[in-house]
Amino acid sequence: MKRRDYRELTERELAALVEFAKAHGRCWRHELNDVYWYNARVWRGGSDENIGHILHSIRNNFGPTWLYDVFKLPKDSK
């Protein structure tokens, strides 16, 4: 099976993922995928009210396979 090529994240998309990860700890991927993406919930805990919508846009553009198998948080964001 050919691996899909993904575009680079924008700075805003990366910042939204980093903020969500910091807020949800070690199991942030599970929380994002199973609670927010699967149930179409918008996260409202960020510093910007648009972060939840940015996260949904990431879901629509990349999907859960990308989240678990491709994306890695930058080392300096932990």
Side-chain angles (χ1 to χ4, degrees):
M1 179 160 71
K2 185 179 175 189
R3 188 172 191 136
R4 180 177 165 192
D5 291 325
Y6 296 96
R7 69 169 173 79
E8 292 290 318
L9 291 173
T10 66
E11 287 183 31
R12 199 165 178 198
E13 289 169 332
L14 180 59
L17 285 168
V18 168
E19 187 166 345
F20 186 89
K22 285 182 179 180
H24 290 87
R26 208 171 127 236
C27 297
W28 72 271
R29 279 185 176 88
H30 170 76
E31 186 78 11
L32 179 59
N33 186 56
D34 292 356
V35 175
Y36 289 92
W37 287 0
Y38 182 79
N39 296 308
R41 289 178 57 197
V42 174
W43 184 53
R44 302 198 191 285
S47 61
D48 176 351
E49 66 183 49
N50 291 319
I51 287 178
H53 299 289
I54 294 168
L55 294 172
H56 270 272
S57 175
I58 293 169
R59 176 198 65 187
N60 294 341
N61 286 292
F62 296 92
T65 300
W66 170 87
L67 180 67
Y68 285 103
D69 297 344
V70 178
F71 179 71
K72 305 286 185 243
L73 284 172
K75 292 181 192 247
D76 62 347
S77 68
K78 295 178 182 177

